[in-house]
Amino acid sequence: MAVPGKCLLVTGPPGVGKSTLIMRVFETLKASNPNLKIQGFYTSEVRQGSERVGFQVVTLDGRTAPLASTISSPESFRWPNVGKYKVNVASFESLALPELQVKEDTDLFIIDEVGKMELYSSSFFPAVLKVLESNIPLLASVPIPKFGRDIPGVARLKNHPGATIFTLSPSNRDAVKEEIYLQLVDLLSKQ
């Protein structure tokens, strides 16, 4: 099992800035230590004008693939729904799963996010568990429980003995970013 503190989880309500915080931590780590080998992905909104029409998955080196969309296509009728979005599981898996392959020289994994859309992939959560078991530090975001109930995979992550949970709010974003950054620097210096 992972050493306590090896899994840093950021949670908070939608739109509070979990993805932004994770990207800022990533950029600060890379700037302070350009040789770090960081694997993973984040999700970003897809907009048409001022309207959000979907999400895409983005690797840390900038490759993108669709994750979910409100725009219908002939193949999207078979895709699972999350709210008004149709989740393109195959597209997500093609980009995200290779990023979660545990390699000996990896210093840190970033997964933004472990949520309902991503968990429609039957291969995703087992890959996340392999990352956890690898003992390589993990920085991930998870959704806040809806109606007081966590998604089972999210609950399993939050209850992991090595998990430290940071609940983000508009008033604590900068302090949480700094705290996560310092914890990761400490963890990475001990590897």
Side-chain angles (χ1 to χ4, degrees):
M1 267 302 150
V3 174
K6 287 270 188 171
C7 175
L8 307 181
L9 300 176
V10 180
T11 190
V16 76
K18 296 183 295 289
S19 297
T20 302
L21 177 131
I22 283 179
M23 286 316 297
R24 286 192 178 139
V25 169
F26 166 68
E27 288 160 3
T28 307
L29 279 170
K30 280 304 266 187
S32 63
N33 190 341
N35 296 326
L36 277 180
K37 180 91 169 70
I38 306 175
Q39 286 177 226
F41 67 88
Y42 64 97
T43 53
S44 68
E45 295 182 345
V46 176
R47 293 191 164 270
Q48 282 185 349
S50 62
E51 186 186 355
R52 182 171 68 195
V53 296
F55 296 92
Q56 64 181 351
V57 60
V58 185
T59 61
L60 300 178
D61 61 6
R63 292 171 290 130
T64 64
L67 170 60
S69 180
T70 58
I71 301 163
S72 291
S73 65
E75 62 273 4
S76 71
F77 286 104
R78 295 187 302 277
W79 297 349
N81 285 338
V82 174
K84 64 182 180 178
Y85 299 99
K86 292 283 204 171
V87 181
N88 186 338
V89 174
S91 169
F92 167 73
E93 287 181 339
S94 71
L95 197 62
L97 291 180
E99 291 300 308
L100 300 182
Q101 296 300 309
V102 175
K103 298 178 183 137
E104 253 181 58
D105 63 343
T106 302
D107 296 307
L108 172 68
F109 279 97
I110 291 179
I111 304 174
D112 172 49
E113 97 175 336
V114 180
K116 200 168 187 178
M117 289 182 185
E118 295 82 2
L119 289 168
Y120 270 111
S121 160
S122 60
S123 303
F124 175 63
F125 197 67
V128 171
L129 290 177
K130 277 196 175 113
V131 166
L132 264 182
E133 290 160 7
S134 74
N135 217 24
I136 295 168
L138 166 64
L139 173 60
S141 65
V142 293
I144 207 152
K146 241 189 181 150
F147 313 114
R149 286 197 322 263
D150 257 327
I151 300 164
V154 171
R156 194 162 164 195
L157 270 183
K158 287 165 82 175
N159 292 324
H160 190 275
T164 304
I165 300 167
F166 299 87
T167 302
L168 203 57
S169 69
S171 63
N172 73 358
R173 281 190 285 234
D174 292 337
V176 168
K177 176 197 168 274
E178 190 64 19
E179 193 175 341
I180 289 172
Y181 172 75
L182 291 173
Q183 279 198 30
L184 285 172
V185 166
D186 187 50
L187 279 172
L188 293 167
S189 71
K190 293 175 180 171
Q191 294 207 79

